[in-house]
Amino acid sequence: MKNTIRIISLLLALVLCIGCFAACDKNGGNGDNVVEEVPQSDNYVADVQIKFATNDDKMKAAVDAMSSNATINVFGDNFDVYTSSKVNDNTATNKYTLVDGMLYYSASLSLGEHTVSENKKAEFAGADKEELIADITSTVRIDAGDFYVVDMTQNGDKVTYICSDAFEEAKADVASLVADRFAAIGATVAVIGIEYHLETEGERNLSSILSCDYVITLGGVDYEITMRLYTTYDYDATVAVCAPENADGY
């Protein structure tokens, strides 16, 4: 029972620190299908949802209650990333805003009736906006080139890729997202399966689903957990990115 509680606590930490997975362009691992480069617009909204699932009866109720969401608004060189997570009565929110070279950060954690928050800001001297977003969202880059099997279907301008049987290197990269956290309690993490679905239209990604199956070993007992990340893109949404109203107080 103690092991189960410790694993759930770490999963909660992962939910409160949402991870996003980005799609790239590479040749399919089987050499037969090619995923063309998909440049994104300078202005778009991306919605990300992360969910956990398990068949372990001891963990199922707690894992099913975990959910996390992120919204990424990109407008030229400016962007904001808003994440929210809720497990039972506990809620955590984080917001990063980059405007005119200044990065603002605000966080809030509510535990029942108690809430703590903080605000920070710093100049952003870097030139790579996408790299900064990746750092904020703990991105692991997954693409068709990371899989042995890539099935592609096309309907007009829409193309769907279904990727399975990931390379061991890709599994190791995904496992590294959570390995350090679980090592702190003496647990090991192995990724036993990854599936990736990507839908594109013309030169843009429309949506993706990444499913990762983990085996967490603690005290000689294996716990199987599935993490799924759903991402949708909207290029027609009205995007407005501006500094926080109380920016002077950061």
Side-chain angles (χ1 to χ4, degrees):
M1 182 62 180
K2 289 183 179 179
N3 287 346
T4 300
I5 293 173
R6 293 161 76 185
I7 290 176
I8 290 173
S9 297
L10 284 177
L11 289 175
L12 171 59
L14 294 176
V15 170
L16 297 183
C17 183
I18 185 171
C20 301
F21 290 73
C24 304
D25 60 291
K26 281 188 181 180
N27 291 341
N30 58 7
D32 296 328
N33 298 312
V34 177
V35 180
E36 300 294 342
E37 184 175 358
V38 184
Q40 305 301 322
S41 166
D42 286 337
N43 307 324
Y44 65 89
V45 175
D47 289 316
V48 182
Q49 185 177 39
I50 181 172
K51 291 184 176 182
F52 288 92
T54 182
N55 291 324
D56 190 307
D57 292 337
K58 296 179 181 178
M59 303 177 65
K60 188 172 180 59
V63 169
D64 287 348
M66 295 179 183
S67 63
S68 187
N69 300 277
T71 300
I72 303 171
N73 297 290
V74 176
F75 186 76
D77 292 330
N78 299 330
F79 72 83
D80 63 43
V81 177
Y82 175 80
T83 71
S84 63
S85 309
K86 185 174 182 179
V87 179
N88 298 325
D89 293 331
N90 304 325
T91 304
T93 62
N94 293 272
K95 186 172 184 179
Y96 295 83
T97 302
L98 178 66
V99 174
D100 300 331
M102 184 66 70
L103 180 64
Y104 302 89
Y105 168 70
S106 63
S108 175
L109 177 61
S110 298
L111 303 173
E113 298 179 354
H114 304 283
T115 300
V116 294
S117 59
E118 67 172 342
N119 298 319
K120 297 179 180 180
K121 66 179 178 181
E123 292 186 2
F124 176 63
D128 194 334
K129 172 192 62 181
E130 298 300 328
E131 182 177 348
L132 177 58
I133 294 176
D135 289 341
I136 289 172
T137 55
S138 302
T139 302
V140 168
R141 301 191 70 85
I142 294 292
D143 58 58
D146 293 314
F147 296 86
Y148 287 104
V149 179
V150 180
D151 294 323
M152 181 180 68
T153 58
Q154 186 166 0
N155 183 9
D157 290 336
K158 290 187 177 181
V159 181
T160 300
Y161 305 91
I162 300 178
C163 310
S164 58
D165 196 6
F167 294 160
E168 291 303 316
E169 293 87 346
K171 293 180 182 179
D173 287 342
V174 173
S176 68
L177 275 180
V178 298
D180 289 344
R181 292 179 181 268
F182 282 96
I185 64 168
T188 60
V189 177
V191 175
I192 58 174
I194 304 175
E195 290 189 359
Y196 181 59
H197 295 194
L198 173 66
E199 183 180 7
T200 68
E201 182 174 20
E203 297 183 340
R204 293 172 172 172
N205 292 346
L206 295 182
S207 65
S208 65
I209 302 173
L210 179 68
S211 180
C212 301
D213 295 322
Y214 294 93
V215 172
I216 303 167
T217 302
L218 179 61
V221 180
D222 290 341
Y223 303 86
E224 295 188 7
I225 303 292
T226 297
M227 180 177 67
R228 292 188 178 92
L229 292 105
Y230 305 84
T231 306
T232 58
Y233 298 86
D234 187 346
Y235 302 95
D236 297 321
T238 301
V239 181
V241 178
C242 55
E245 293 182 359
N246 58 336
D248 294 336
Y250 275 59

